């Protein structure tokens, strides 16, 4: 029985969800079988929520200022996405 149970709600297109993966890997390496990690589906922008307008400067600024530095600290390479797709089908396929 694990002594730590961690449920992580994430979406495939959420850059912040990707940023947590190295920390989770370190946690699993340190705690071994005493930690149970369960990844759960969270659709970031379900219909009819409007998709992000990636051409808007605030999103590009957020990506450059908030995401890219954190990715570099974790040894990850990330790129500003040309499009923000819907993910319902991806979540359904992996459920």
């Amino acid at each position: 029985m694990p002594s730590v149970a961690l449920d992580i709600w994430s979406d495939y297109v959420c850059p912040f969800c990707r940023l947590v993966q190295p920390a989770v890997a370190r946690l699993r390496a340190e705690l071994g079988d005493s930690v149970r990690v369960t990844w759960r589906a969270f659709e970031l922008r379900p219909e009819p929520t409007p998709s992000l307008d990636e051409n808007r400067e605030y999103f590009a600024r957020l990506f450059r200022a908030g995401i890219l530095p954190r990715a570099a600290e974790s040894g990850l390479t990330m790129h500003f996405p040309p499009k923000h797709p819907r993910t319902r089908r991806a979540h359904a396929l992996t459920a």
Side-chain angles (χ1 to χ4, degrees), residues 6-7 15 42 44 50 53 56-57 59 61-62 68 94:
L6 181 61
D7 287 357
F42 175 78
L44 190 60
D53 178 359
R56 297 179 81 170
E57 182 54 34
F59 186 66
R61 189 172 49 249
L62 171 68
L68 291 181
T94 57

Side-chain angles (χ1 to χ4, degrees), residues 13-53:
V13 297
C14 173
F16 293 103
C17 296
R18 174 67 176 109
L19 290 174
V20 77
Q21 290 177 337
V24 171
R26 285 192 305 274
L27 180 68
R28 291 180 106 166
E30 291 175 19
L31 299 178
D33 292 337
S34 68
V35 65
R36 176 188 54 87
V37 178
T38 304
W39 291 90
R40 302 198 183 271
F42 175 78
E43 190 177 1
L44 190 60
R45 299 221 180 273
E47 294 282 356
T49 304
S51 186
L52 292 176
D53 178 359

